[in-house]
Amino acid sequence: MTVDDIRAAAARIDGAVVRTPLLPATWAASDRPLWLKPESLQPIGAFKLRGAYNAVARLDERVRRRGVVTYSSGNHAQAVAYAARAFGVEATIVMPDVTPQVKIDNTRGYGAEVVLVPIGQREAAANEIVADRGAVLVPPFDHPDVVAGQGTIGAEIVADLAGVDAVLVPVSGGGLASGIGTAVKALSPRTKVIAVEPELSATTTESLSADAAVDWPVERRARTIADGLRTQPSEFTFAHLREVLDGVVTVSEEQIRSAMAVLARKARLVAEPSGAVSLAAYLSRADQLPSGSTVAVISGGNVDPRLLADVLAERA
């Protein structure tokens, strides 16, 4: 997967995906200018639409008509459902039974069939459905077409803020960070790409330290409030992460919640926990980050309303 694949993806998704702006955070530190890339403004409320739409669009029409299947904690689920509806094909989505109800309802709202399973069984269940129905799997991150779609974010950042010093990107399965990193390093080699993940699901941090992919039990990763960051890189994405990341930092649960409140109150943006980790790093891990102009990718805004209310009430 290269920057040429990302350019092709950008042309393919043009008109179907919002080209999100860079929003200047005038309330941020004056010596470290900050811009927010609000992927929460996508039609499905998260960046996942880019990769899902690109992957579905790339399918041969005869293959696509057999239907698409995926497994996801929520945002990729909604993205595949949305893309499938756009192309007039059936979508079956396997979701963990602990997924926030708002994400389940939204996925069904796009016309997809939702199958709920225990969190550790979602991939196996999706593969069974593919085998039984002859449908095609659109994985959440472990596919070059998906990663290329996510990489369009990086190309937009470099086009809109030439010479940006650092880009902060949430990381979990690694598709977003791999795609953005590939685009940024090709188009602005001096820019540092820093991945951010929860302390309670720090598989990328540990893997890069060991220079080999490590495996955390799903129950261990599921402890974090950031439900969209409970997976871990595949061999494909980890190989890209090793090439394009300049570092990775972790943030605590309290720091994530605090960043959600800052986004709501100062940026007027609703962010889910996974979408707030990049700002959490900017606010709480400055000593571990490059200096200079910074972009924080706000990857999604599909938050349980009760959780958001609790976060804001805690910081009233």
Side-chain angles (χ1 to χ4, degrees), residues 170-258:
V171 67
S172 180
L176 178 64
S178 294
I180 289 178
T182 297
V184 169
K185 287 302 180 183
L187 301 172
S188 181
R190 64 171 293 276
T191 301
K192 304 298 185 183
V193 180
I194 308 296
V196 186
E197 63 185 346
E199 291 175 351
L200 296 183
S201 186
T203 54
T204 298
T205 300
E206 189 170 320
S207 295
L208 290 175
S209 178
D211 197 31
V214 301
D215 179 55
W216 283 23
V218 65
E219 295 80 11
R220 185 180 180 190
R221 289 179 268 124
R223 298 172 300 160
T224 179
I225 192 177
D227 59 282
L229 302 180
R230 292 171 176 168
T231 56
Q232 54 193 13
S234 65
E235 290 185 11
F236 172 68
T237 57
F238 182 63
H240 278 80
L241 294 175
R242 283 197 295 192
E243 293 296 320
V244 302
L245 290 184
D246 294 288
V248 57
V249 299
T250 62
V251 290
S252 70
E253 301 296 286
E254 171 59 27
Q255 289 162 350
I256 294 170
R257 297 171 79 96
S258 180

Side-chain angles (χ1 to χ4, degrees), residues 3 16 47 50 56 60 62-63 104 128 140 177 180 207 224 230 235 263 282 287 303 313:
V3 70
F47 77 95
R50 295 173 182 263
V56 173
D60 181 272
R62 291 172 296 178
V63 173
I104 296 172
E128 287 180 12
I180 289 178
S207 295
T224 179
R230 292 171 176 168
E235 290 185 11
L263 285 166
Y282 175 90
D287 60 326
V303 60

Side-chain angles (χ1 to χ4, degrees), residues 33 58 82 106 147 149 168 206 249 255 288:
R58 283 270 287 161
Y82 185 99
N106 288 347
V147 175
L168 310 181
E206 189 170 320
V249 299
Q255 289 162 350
Q288 299 177 34

Side-chain angles (χ1 to χ4, degrees), residues 35-288:
W35 285 261
L36 306 176
K37 180 71 166 169
E39 286 296 296
S40 52
L41 301 182
Q42 293 294 345
I44 60 101
F47 77 95
K48 289 284 191 177
L49 183 57
R50 295 173 182 263
Y53 196 96
N54 186 52
V56 173
R58 283 270 287 161
L59 293 172
D60 181 272
E61 185 177 352
R62 291 172 296 178
V63 173
R64 196 162 55 217
R65 283 201 299 264
R66 302 203 304 258
V68 295
V69 177
T70 197
Y71 53 94
S72 167
S73 62
N75 287 332
H76 182 67
Q78 295 173 75
V80 171
Y82 185 99
R85 186 179 69 174
F87 284 95
V89 299
E90 294 183 354
T92 304
I93 315 295
V94 179
M95 304 178 78
D97 53 14
V98 295
T99 299
Q101 191 63 42
V102 63
K103 295 183 179 182
I104 296 172
D105 292 343
N106 288 347
T107 302
R108 287 177 173 150
Y110 295 126
E113 175 189 355
V114 173
V115 178
L116 298 176
V117 300
I119 190 170
Q121 298 177 19
R122 58 184 181 170
E123 184 172 355
N127 286 322
E128 287 180 12
I129 294 170
V130 167
D132 290 343
R133 302 182 185 181
V136 61
L137 183 70
V138 181
F141 54 85
D142 193 22
H143 195 285
D145 292 338
V146 173
V147 175
Q150 323 304 25
T152 59
I153 298 170
E156 291 175 9
I157 290 172
V158 173
D160 290 348
L161 190 63
V164 58
D165 292 302
V167 178
L168 310 181
V169 190
V171 67
S172 180
L176 178 64
S178 294
I180 289 178
T182 297
V184 169
K185 287 302 180 183
L187 301 172
S188 181
R190 64 171 293 276
T191 301
K192 304 298 185 183
V193 180
I194 308 296
V196 186
E197 63 185 346
E199 291 175 351
L200 296 183
S201 186
T203 54
T204 298
T205 300
E206 189 170 320
S207 295
L208 290 175
S209 178
D211 197 31
V214 301
D215 179 55
W216 283 23
V218 65
E219 295 80 11
R220 185 180 180 190
R221 289 179 268 124
R223 298 172 300 160
T224 179
I225 192 177
D227 59 282
L229 302 180
R230 292 171 176 168
T231 56
Q232 54 193 13
S234 65
E235 290 185 11
F236 172 68
T237 57
F238 182 63
H240 278 80
L241 294 175
R242 283 197 295 192
E243 293 296 320
V244 302
L245 290 184
D246 294 288
V248 57
V249 299
T250 62
V251 290
S252 70
E253 301 296 286
E254 171 59 27
Q255 289 162 350
I256 294 170
R257 297 171 79 96
S258 180
M260 291 173 63
V262 170
L263 285 166
R265 292 206 169 96
K266 294 187 177 181
R268 308 300 189 267
L269 290 173
V270 171
E272 60 192 274
S274 305
V277 297
S278 56
L279 180 64
Y282 175 90
L283 295 173
S284 307
R285 297 286 190 252
D287 60 326
Q288 299 177 34

